[in-house]
Amino acid sequence: MAQQELKRDLKNRHVQLIAIGGTIGTGLFLGSGKAIQLAGPSIIFAYFIVGIAIFFVMRALGELLLSKAGYQSFTDIAEDYLGPRAAFVTGWTYWFCWIMTAMADVIAVGVYVRYWFDIPQWIPAVICLVILLFLNLLSVKNFGEMEFWFALIKVVTILALIAIGVILLVIGFKTDTGTVSIKNIWGHGGLFPNGLSGFLLSFQMVVFAYVGVELVGVSAAETSNPEQNIPSAINKIPLRILLFYVGALIALLCINPWTGLNPTESPFVKTFSLVGIPIAAGVINFVVLTSAASACNSGMFSTSRILYNLSKNNQAPSRLSKLNKNHVPSNALYISTIVVSVGALLSKLIPDQAFGIVTTISAICFIWVWGVILICHLRYKKTQPQLHAASKFKAPFTPFVNYAVLTLFAIILIIMLFADETRPALLLTPLWFVLLFTLYASRRRKEDNNKGSVKNLQSTDA
């Protein structure tokens, strides 16, 4: 029996860095270049607004996870408060979310490697997947250790960027594009150089930048002390948002005017190359490469655990809940890795469009998952007032903040409908939900027919 349970091998330092790693990834290091092109300096406000919204989602998730000891992920929560259909759709959608995100990350790995080697993008993507698969098969502690060091590299890089930005600002350092100054933020067309439309259109990539923050919820089943570790990780999210997103973007825009950034390149690599340190750009490219590998690592971890939970709840084939000798759901991990490898294929077929397509689909599906968390929290507060009253980790400002964040998510989806780049993915994504609802209805009919057959057999025997 021991082999059929996930191991609680993630320590507090793992959970803290998983939470950080979940909020810092390809969306910031690569996707922010495109977002800055759309919004200009107003991108700082977009990151701040979405970041605060995500914090309230996480507080709702934290209260729900700690309200019942048996919860292993928010698919269990969805089943309790919205029913088995919602759990089925949300569980598979979350798996799809992370599949899309991991695809974006393996595509980014290929982009970063091309900085040094002129080889097809798909080759380093495949190599990255094989290495991560091998390491994830060993143990959950291995995943925790990888994420700890990957996330630590990201943290050190961003702190170094901010520190260098402050130093260059104080000494008035001159680059090829001008003097490092805080005036660079508003000195090239103002804070909203592309108007309100540019600001609003940037929200899709901003949303994608935050995907993965809820990974601390997925790891709950493998956390040694969830009552202490989960609240600690969630409560530090606002500080991380201010420091790692808002702080890093302010430093970037002070050193380099937004007009000088290429949307297809990492603004971090560009900015460090401007500083004049010969190896700086190469070092930062290595850092953002490890960041993409880290995010892909998180994707492989989360998708395998989601399939494991779906299988345990009879919402996926039973073989996907099989654990290897290291208590890792190996079959689920193999399936997820094979599907993620489609990202390598996309980077071969449509290298220029692949990243934009998968990030848009990922953002849309994550909005669904975050919305379900908020709705479950509303149902929890209404139907389980005694649990809410006894909670030691109450989500603040409910139910008002739940409705406010849900409204923001709805507005972001409407904005995507009006953008040429995001409209096709937005219109295609509902097909995924139609497929899931159809599959669920088919499963229920099959189960009902089986029950009917058993009853008829029992009546005949009688």
Side-chain angles (χ1 to χ4, degrees):
M1 284 296 293
Q3 192 172 325
Q4 296 309 307
E5 297 297 329
L6 296 173
K7 249 186 164 180
R8 291 185 175 273
D9 268 352
L10 293 180
K11 308 303 181 186
N12 182 50
R13 68 185 180 91
H14 295 142
V15 176
Q16 294 293 337
L17 270 293
I18 286 171
I20 294 175
T23 54
I24 307 170
T26 307
L28 176 63
F29 284 124
L30 182 60
S32 58
K34 181 179 178 182
I36 290 170
Q37 182 200 37
L38 289 168
S42 65
I43 192 64
I44 296 169
F45 304 122
Y47 272 96
F48 183 78
I49 292 168
V50 176
I52 295 304
I54 297 303
F55 169 67
F56 286 118
V57 172
M58 288 301 298
R59 282 301 301 260
L61 176 60
E63 182 176 358
L64 287 167
L65 281 171
L66 297 176
S67 68
K68 184 176 176 180
Y71 285 148
Q72 294 194 333
S73 74
F74 46 76
T75 53
D76 300 331
I77 297 169
E79 181 155 10
D80 271 3
Y81 293 103
L82 299 177
R85 180 192 288 112
F88 179 84
V89 173
T90 301
W92 278 104
T93 298
Y94 190 60
W95 175 81
F96 188 60
C97 286
W98 267 107
I99 286 294
M100 290 293 106
T101 304
M103 283 185 188
D105 294 320
V106 296
I107 291 167
V109 167
V111 172
Y112 295 142
V113 170
R114 282 177 61 84
Y115 178 85
W116 294 297
F117 308 105
D118 187 18
I119 59 175
Q121 286 180 202
W122 65 271
I123 293 177
V126 170
I127 294 172
C128 175
L129 277 177
V130 171
I131 293 172
L132 293 179
L133 172 63
F134 172 74
L135 293 173
N136 270 275
L137 284 170
L138 298 180
S139 71
V140 68
K141 192 173 183 180
N142 243 30
F143 164 77
E145 285 298 325
M146 281 191 291
E147 273 309 288
F148 178 83
W149 292 107
F150 275 149
L152 199 59
I153 291 172
K154 301 183 205 178
V155 170
V156 170
T157 301
I158 292 180
L159 291 177
L161 172 70
I162 294 172
I164 290 172
V166 170
I167 293 170
L168 299 182
L169 194 63
V170 170
I171 66 175
F173 187 82
K174 294 186 185 303
T175 69
D176 294 341
T177 58
T179 304
V180 175
S181 170
I182 196 168
K183 292 180 181 179
N184 283 333
I185 295 177
W186 62 81
H188 298 265
L191 291 175
F192 292 82
N194 294 329
L196 184 61
S197 62
F199 170 68
L200 295 175
L201 290 174
S202 70
F203 272 77
Q204 174 265 325
M205 190 55 70
V206 172
V207 168
F208 176 73
Y210 283 107
V211 303
V213 67
E214 74 300 313
L215 187 59
V216 67
V218 177
S219 64
E222 296 169 87
T223 302
S224 58
N225 188 357
E227 291 79 10
Q228 177 182 338
N229 297 338
I230 290 175
S232 174
I234 291 173
N235 281 335
K236 290 172 182 172
I237 287 175
L239 179 62
R240 289 164 183 157
I241 290 168
L242 287 172
L243 181 63
F244 298 124
Y245 279 93
V246 178
L249 287 169
I250 289 174
L252 282 174
L253 295 174
C254 285
I255 297 171
N256 191 84
W258 74 274
T259 51
L261 296 174
N262 187 333
T264 62
E265 298 175 355
S266 170
F268 285 79
V269 176
K270 168 73 173 178
T271 300
F272 273 88
S273 66
L274 282 173
V275 173
I277 304 173
I279 64 168
V283 170
I284 298 306
N285 194 70
F286 172 76
V287 169
V288 295
L289 173 61
T290 61
S291 171
S294 162
C296 186
N297 186 39
S298 296
M300 292 172 69
F301 170 84
S302 59
T303 51
S304 62
R305 270 54 178 185
I306 295 159
L307 288 183
Y308 169 83
N309 282 318
L310 287 168
S311 178
K312 292 280 282 186
N313 293 329
N314 299 316
Q315 295 176 337
S318 59
R319 66 178 67 92
L320 295 179
S321 59
K322 181 182 178 182
L323 303 180
N324 66 13
K325 63 180 181 181
N326 298 316
H327 300 265
V328 172
S330 52
N331 288 341
L333 190 58
Y334 289 134
I335 293 296
S336 294
T337 304
I338 290 169
V339 181
V340 170
S341 66
V342 174
L345 178 63
L346 287 176
S347 65
K348 175 179 174 61
L349 299 177
I350 46 172
D352 296 331
Q353 294 83 29
F355 186 77
I357 291 171
V358 297
T359 54
T360 301
I361 295 174
S362 176
I364 294 166
C365 291
F366 267 103
I367 286 175
W368 166 279
V369 172
W370 295 336
V372 166
I373 292 171
L374 291 170
I375 293 169
C376 284
H377 188 261
L378 289 170
R379 292 281 300 157
Y380 153 83
K381 188 173 181 182
K382 183 177 180 180
T383 61
Q384 304 287 349
Q386 74 282 0
L387 289 179
H388 177 68
S391 174
K392 296 179 181 178
F393 193 55
K394 291 184 178 69
F397 310 122
T398 57
F400 310 106
V401 77
N402 298 55
Y403 292 119
V405 176
L406 286 169
T407 301
L408 173 65
F409 289 159
I411 291 170
I412 292 172
L413 290 175
I414 293 170
I415 292 167
M416 289 185 189
L417 188 61
F418 288 95
D420 292 337
E421 290 189 12
T422 55
R423 188 186 305 113
L426 180 65
L427 295 176
L428 285 173
T429 304
L431 294 177
W432 167 255
F433 293 99
V434 171
L435 172 64
L436 290 181
F437 280 111
T438 303
L439 287 174
Y440 181 80
S442 175
R443 286 180 70 257
R444 287 303 298 265
R445 281 196 300 270
K446 187 176 180 180
E447 289 173 2
D448 291 343
N449 290 337
N450 289 339
K451 288 178 183 177
S453 299
V454 171
K455 287 181 180 179
N456 291 335
L457 185 60
Q458 289 173 341
S459 299
T460 303
D461 291 341

